[in-house]
Amino acid sequence: AQKITQTQPGMFVQEKEAVTLDCTYDTSDQSYGLFWYKQPSSGEMIFLIYQGSYDEQNATEGRYSLNFQKARKSANLVISASQLGDSAMYFCAMREANNAGNMLTFGGGTRLMVKP
Amino acid sequence: ETGVTQTPRHLVMGMTNKKSLKCEQHLGHNAMYWYKQSAKKPLELMFVYSLEERVENNSVPSRFSPECPNSSHLFLHLHTLQPEDSALYLCASSQDYRGLNQPQHFGDGTRLSIL
């Protein structure tokens, strides 16, 4: 079974509007971390935001926030006030406490396209 | 500028060639990683090093040979590659490899094409 599922292969959003990118995960660990990365066409993976499984509040970093619903095992990324530079691939990833190799497991990604 | 530098950015090689990918991190991190990103597939972890020692090897073919001479440098030596090895190879680093909340910082990647 997929550990990280991103069901939206591609999304369009109008500039200045908010957009939500979906991520669901599968783990039996109680302790885990969830990450979102942005990958522009240049190839670099840019860390955006982190949510720990025991964090009671949703993580926020500037225009990025994470809608963390633990019971539903979802960790959706919300980007507010979209900008043209937000057009990129977005990857959700998870690290589990019992994963000794500190492996980040990535989802398949969502391509976000911001329309002017 | 992420603090992780990969060279070359692009590489085209024949199946019989030998080449090396280089990664250098300026973040003072103790762990370094190699990932492979193929079209339409999630990122695949290839190797993990912590303080110059390999701690993870995800059943990678022996035609890929990593080397970590110190905690700032990581190499991936390539020989007799196959066309299916064409991909974007990403290097990353983190403070240490066990920290659950530590993000990995990635380089720009090397786009490899095998003729």
Side-chain angles (χ1 to χ4, degrees), chain A residues 41-42 64 84 98 102 107:
Chain A
S41 57
S42 58
Y64 305 108
L84 295 178
N98 290 329
N102 194 29

Side-chain angles (χ1 to χ4, degrees), chain A residues 42-73:
Chain A
S42 58
E44 177 190 350
M45 294 283 280
I46 303 167
F47 166 67
L48 296 178
I49 196 168
Y50 166 81
Q51 179 85 43
S53 58
Y54 292 117
D55 293 342
E56 294 186 353
Q57 296 203 337
N58 287 342
T60 61
E61 286 287 347
R63 293 187 299 112
Y64 305 108
S65 60
L66 209 151
N67 183 359
F68 181 46
Q69 298 186 43
K70 193 170 181 177
R72 299 175 67 177
K73 294 189 176 178

Side-chain angles (χ1 to χ4, degrees), chain A residues 37 39 42 44 95 100 102, chain B residues 2 33 37 97 99 102 104:
Chain A
Y37 285 85
Q39 188 179 38
S42 58
E44 177 190 350
R95 182 182 300 143
N102 194 29
Chain B
T2 65
Y33 312 80
Q37 187 178 28
Y97 86 101
Q102 292 172 10
Q104 292 176 12

